[in-house]
């Protein structure tokens, strides 16, 4: 059976924490920032964890 390959886009977007959770960045922070409020942009800066429903698919993409 061939080796499993990691999805290249997933390894750039997700990081694993010390407790085994996956960190991700928020969407909607790359462009068209003039119409967004300062509060909204500030809250999008912080990283978040992947929701429990999506952990299995992220784990499969990262071959874990």
């Amino acid at each position: 059976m061939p080796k499993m390959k990691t999805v290249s886009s997933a390894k750039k977007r997700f990081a694993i924490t010390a407790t085994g959770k996956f960190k991700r960045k928020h969407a909607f922070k790359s462009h068209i920032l003039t119409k967004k409020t300062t509060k909204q942009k500030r809250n999008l800066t912080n990283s978040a964890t992947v929701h429990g429903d999506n952990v299995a698919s992220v784990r499969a993409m990262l071959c874990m």
Side-chain angles (χ1 to χ4, degrees), residues 4 6 14-16 20-22 55-56 58-64:
M4 299 224 2
T6 300
F14 300 107
I16 191 162
K21 295 178 182 175
F22 291 101
V55 169
V58 172
R59 195 176 295 277
M61 286 189 283
L62 295 176
C63 298
M64 295 183 158

Side-chain angles (χ1 to χ4, degrees), residues 41-61:
K41 290 184 279 192
R42 183 175 63 243
N43 290 334
L44 290 174
T45 300
N46 306 324
S47 61
T49 56
V50 174
H51 194 269
D53 296 340
N54 300 322
V55 169
S57 60
V58 172
R59 195 176 295 277
M61 286 189 283

Side-chain angles (χ1 to χ4, degrees), residues 13-48:
R13 286 175 170 84
F14 300 107
I16 191 162
T17 63
T19 57
K21 295 178 182 175
F22 291 101
K23 284 197 313 186
R24 65 170 177 87
K25 294 195 187 233
H26 285 280
F28 307 110
K29 186 71 195 300
S30 58
H31 59 93
I32 314 175
L33 298 172
T34 53
K35 61 177 76 170
K36 294 171 185 146
T37 63
T38 307
K39 180 179 178 181
Q40 184 180 4
K41 290 184 279 192
R42 183 175 63 243
N43 290 334
L44 290 174
T45 300
N46 306 324
S47 61

